[in-house]
Amino acid sequence: MTDVAANSTDSLTVRDNRTGQEYDIPITDGTINAKDLGQIRTGDDQPGLATYDPGFVNTASCRSAVTYIDGDKGILEYRGYPIEQLAEKSSFLEVAYLLIHGALPTKDEMDAWVHEITYHTFVHENVKSFMEGFRYDAHPMGMLMASVGALSTFYPDARNIKDADNRHMQIVRMIAKMPTLGAWSFRHAQGKPFIYPDNDLSYTANFLSMLFKMSEKKYGADERLVKALDVLFILHADHEQNCSTNAVRSVGSSEVDPYSAVAAGVAALYGPLHGGANEAVLRMLRRIGSTSEIPAFIEGVKNGNEKLMGFGHRVYKNYDPRAKIIKKSAEDVFEVTGTNPLLDIAKELEKIALEDDYFVQRKLYPNVDFYSGLIYEAFQFPPEMFTVLFAIGRTPGWLAQWLELVQDKEQKIARPKQIYTGDRQLTFVPASERWA
């Protein structure tokens, strides 16, 4: 790494036109430290300069070695491994190990990891009673958020986040129990009895068993469906500093237990701007109705009368690499479940949009949500379950980011500045006088 202190060219010279003074601010990894702007002030008794960046559009809040994204080139890597290779050749639990530990496991490490996760899939019976207490029509995501937070009361030792062995135990528990909590949220909404984990099954097959098993002794899902859902979990496992990951880090910066921090991530994902895009894609495809109506819809988008959902991304200015993989998974799933006419509409819409200069010039390409909703629907998941599936896949990423946070000596408790816009120095008048 370049020694920026010794290299004056790796700096930014700022001239304050209010005072005529110049400041030399070091540049490291393509960024300046916002704290260095604090020295720029009009007087000793005046506040220093700060940045205003709603939504962190151009602000780095941390250093991270978990996920790399190059949005212009459509690149996504977990710990340096391309997402395309991981989706094709790895498994979700191996990817989870990679995210948490920073390296791929040996065979012995993988066997031990799978055993640990499998062993901890069961939850305390009181958690079951807790979840049964929700209203019959409770949203599965609200149930998941509350249940994850409630786990902190079952494992009070989770507060000891300075202990590496203790951190590992909580990470294992959370990855193991998320499918159980998610499946039970689904069953509760349907008025069906909860199904306990079957630890003879793989992680993803076990999840499908807890979701769909009825009276049969053993639930056996089609392996193509198991693989497709496993791939979806991999594709959602982490995505840099998104809204929910930022929530996990922000809440985690208070040194709270990881269950509470991850519950914050679930809450952020609950919001429609973060986790609801694939449902919006399904509504759009149904509104289009048939491939013959696509040209009229495209014109509506150009005229501002329609919204093209599932295209474009705040990070990607190229084809979302996850979308290509999901498109293939969708075709595999429909081989098992039967075709969905919406898939034909989606493919034709994608084809037309990618050939239209209007969308190409605006760098609007399909994102991960464009096809994922079709896959979830093929599994017979209701739309309110989509974000639960997202949360299960994202859990290892949240935990990897949390683990990085608690071991990062540069990190402090999150406490952003604000620009105050309200009144000041008003004179209080007692209610007896105001109301007289």
Side-chain angles (χ1 to χ4, degrees):
M1 182 180 293
T2 303
D3 185 351
V4 296
N7 189 349
S8 61
T9 60
D10 292 336
S11 66
L12 176 72
T13 300
V14 177
R15 178 182 173 84
D16 187 347
N17 291 326
R18 300 171 300 176
T19 63
Q21 189 168 348
E22 289 190 352
Y23 302 85
D24 204 37
I25 299 176
I27 298 175
T28 306
D29 297 326
T31 67
I32 62 170
N33 193 320
K35 183 176 63 175
D36 291 338
L37 296 176
Q39 64 185 303
I40 304 175
R41 59 183 72 209
T42 56
D44 292 339
D45 59 345
Q46 296 298 310
L49 196 66
T51 58
Y52 178 59
D53 188 9
F56 301 129
V57 175
N58 194 36
T59 297
S61 63
C62 65
R63 297 175 182 274
S64 179
V66 179
T67 296
Y68 174 80
I69 297 174
D70 186 326
D72 291 330
K73 296 179 181 178
I75 294 172
L76 171 62
E77 297 173 355
Y78 296 161
R79 300 289 190 179
Y81 292 94
I83 190 65
E84 295 86 353
Q85 295 178 19
L86 295 174
E88 179 185 357
K89 301 174 182 178
S90 188
S91 67
F92 177 65
L93 282 188
E94 185 176 38
V95 168
Y97 185 99
L98 171 66
L99 290 170
I100 297 298
H101 295 90
L104 291 171
T106 64
K107 185 181 185 307
D108 288 345
E109 289 169 339
M110 186 63 185
D111 289 344
W113 175 249
V114 170
H115 175 76
E116 280 188 300
I117 299 294
T118 304
Y119 182 79
H120 286 282
T121 52
F122 280 76
V123 297
H124 195 288
E125 281 294 293
N126 286 357
V127 175
K128 179 181 177 183
S129 302
F130 174 74
M131 297 185 73
E132 288 173 336
F134 283 94
R135 272 178 56 102
Y136 69 93
D137 59 351
H139 196 290
M141 199 62 173
M143 292 182 64
L144 182 67
M145 176 177 61
S147 302
V148 171
L151 288 180
S152 66
T153 66
F154 288 87
Y155 304 109
D157 56 326
R159 292 188 298 247
N160 185 15
I161 65 171
K162 305 291 187 183
D163 183 273
D165 292 336
N166 187 43
R167 290 196 303 261
H168 174 78
M169 189 72 266
Q170 312 316 322
I171 287 169
V172 166
R173 283 172 174 158
M174 209 171 323
I175 293 174
K177 297 179 193 307
M178 284 293 279
T180 308
L181 299 178
W184 286 7
S185 299
F186 174 75
R187 303 280 292 200
H188 180 83
Q190 296 188 327
K192 295 176 180 175
F194 295 167
I195 301 297
Y196 288 107
D198 182 345
N199 289 339
D200 291 334
L201 301 175
S202 69
Y203 184 87
T204 305
N206 183 30
F207 177 52
L208 288 171
S209 173
M210 289 188 287
L211 287 165
F212 299 121
K213 184 179 178 183
M214 294 301 289
S215 59
E216 64 269 42
K217 288 186 177 180
K218 199 85 169 174
Y219 180 84
D222 190 292
E223 281 303 315
R224 289 170 292 181
L225 297 181
V226 174
K227 174 62 178 176
L229 190 54
D230 206 63
V231 168
L232 281 167
F233 285 160
I234 291 172
L235 298 181
H236 286 100
D238 195 57
H239 207 239
E240 207 211 45
Q241 303 308 310
N242 53 77
C243 176
S244 58
T245 299
N246 180 66
V248 171
R249 279 182 168 267
S250 183
V251 171
S253 72
S254 72
E255 297 190 353
V256 73
D257 67 87
Y259 300 103
S260 299
V262 168
V266 176
L269 191 57
Y270 198 174
L273 292 184
H274 190 10
N278 43 25
E279 184 179 352
V281 171
L282 290 178
R283 289 197 299 268
M284 175 191 71
L285 295 175
R286 289 196 176 93
R287 191 170 68 252
I288 294 172
S290 69
T291 54
S292 63
E293 296 297 322
I294 292 176
F297 175 79
I298 291 290
E299 286 304 309
V301 173
K302 294 177 181 179
N303 296 331
N305 299 321
E306 297 281 3
K307 278 193 171 182
L308 182 60
M309 308 305 297
F311 274 69
H313 194 282
R314 179 155 147 184
V315 172
Y316 295 110
K317 306 306 175 189
N318 201 322
Y319 206 110
D320 183 339
R322 300 170 299 172
K324 295 179 182 179
I325 302 166
I326 277 191
K327 182 178 179 181
K328 174 63 170 61
S329 292
E331 294 169 349
D332 294 341
V333 168
F334 287 127
E335 283 184 7
V336 180
T337 64
T339 188
N340 183 337
L342 295 182
L343 179 62
D344 295 330
I345 299 174
K347 285 182 174 180
E348 185 65 17
L349 178 59
E350 177 190 4
K351 178 177 179 293
I352 292 175
L354 291 179
E355 294 173 351
D356 193 306
D357 288 342
Y358 177 89
F359 301 103
V360 173
Q361 290 173 3
R362 288 165 174 77
K363 297 183 178 181
L364 295 176
Y365 299 92
N367 59 42
V368 69
D369 299 304
F370 189 65
Y371 285 104
S372 62
L374 289 170
I375 296 178
Y376 294 152
E377 192 173 66
F379 275 91
Q380 300 183 337
F381 291 120
E384 56 267 23
M385 270 297 291
F386 291 179
T387 41
V388 173
L389 300 166
F390 192 155
I392 293 170
R394 182 56 54 88
T395 297
W398 284 335
L399 291 168
Q401 298 275 352
W402 171 80
L403 191 61
E404 198 173 57
L405 164 81
V406 298
Q407 297 178 94
D408 185 350
K409 294 181 179 179
E410 288 187 345
Q411 285 297 312
K412 300 176 175 62
I413 186 170
R415 211 311 189 172
K417 285 182 174 289
Q418 66 167 18
I419 300 173
Y420 179 71
T421 60
D423 295 325
R424 292 204 55 230
Q425 297 183 337
L426 301 179
T427 300
F428 177 75
V429 178
S432 59
E433 298 180 27
R434 298 197 315 273
W435 301 342

